[in-house]
Amino acid sequence: MTGTSSVNMSRSVAGTVAVYGAFLVLCFAVAATGGIANSYGLSGWYPTLVKPSFNPPNWLFGPVWTVLYIMIAVSGARLVLSPAEDKEPAIALYGVQLALNAAWSWVFFYGQAMGAAAIVIVAMWLAILGNIVFAWSKDRVASLLLIPYLAWVSFATVLNIAIWRLNS
């Protein structure tokens, strides 16, 4: 290996690590933003709501979302680093689903608007599905990493609607 190719490889590895790091920071910033909103509702309002029998215990949400945010970050980094052409729609939908992810907590927990939160979460579900579909031909692993996220948001959508119905 020549000195020049060694330097180029080091830059390439450093760039890849930087992209993954940036996506981890981005996803955990979204998580922190949602966590701030959650703290408003979890302290007083949410515990008073009637919940369906399938409502998971509160302690489960943190570990599940931590794993999901890591998978979402890896998916986004892989998509950006993919050599595929025309990946802009998938990247745009990635941004949309993250923005809706952050917005949902503010609408549901801070705003205590369960019906509006149901609209937000359905839009988020559609954005995640679109992200999976558009990313499929660009990076299949990036797509597959979002399937557990889609599954959890599917469950969360049913839960959101059930809580809204039970408390309307």
Side-chain angles (χ1 to χ4, degrees):
M1 186 180 301
T2 66
T4 304
S5 63
S6 176
V7 169
N8 288 339
M9 191 168 77
S10 293
R11 285 184 187 152
S12 176
V13 169
T16 299
V17 169
V19 169
Y20 277 92
F23 273 89
L24 284 168
V25 168
L26 172 65
C27 286
F28 283 104
V30 168
T33 300
I36 292 166
N38 292 356
S39 68
Y40 286 100
L42 289 175
S43 62
W45 171 72
Y46 187 74
T48 67
L49 296 176
V50 178
K51 295 171 199 78
S53 60
F54 58 88
N55 190 73
N58 287 344
W59 63 263
L60 183 64
F61 290 93
V64 167
W65 275 111
T66 299
V67 170
L68 290 174
Y69 280 124
I70 291 168
M71 294 172 76
I72 295 165
V74 171
S75 173
R78 286 186 62 94
L79 188 58
V80 165
L81 292 169
S82 167
E85 294 181 21
D86 301 325
K87 51 189 176 180
E88 290 78 12
I91 293 170
L93 284 166
Y94 183 91
V96 168
Q97 61 84 8
L98 271 184
L100 290 167
N101 183 310
W104 181 87
S105 293
W106 285 94
V107 174
F108 187 88
F109 284 106
Y110 183 79
Q112 301 176 6
M114 294 174 281
I119 293 167
V120 172
I121 203 167
V122 167
M124 179 171 50
W125 189 92
L126 290 169
I128 297 165
L129 179 62
N131 192 185
I132 291 168
V133 169
F134 279 95
W136 183 256
S137 64
K138 311 307 175 202
D139 185 315
R140 288 210 172 126
V141 172
S143 271
L144 293 169
L145 283 166
L146 295 177
I147 291 174
Y149 177 35
L150 183 66
W152 182 258
V153 171
S154 298
F155 170 73
T157 301
V158 172
L159 184 61
N160 183 152
I161 293 168
I163 292 172
W164 178 32
R165 286 191 52 207
L166 289 169
N167 292 278
S168 294

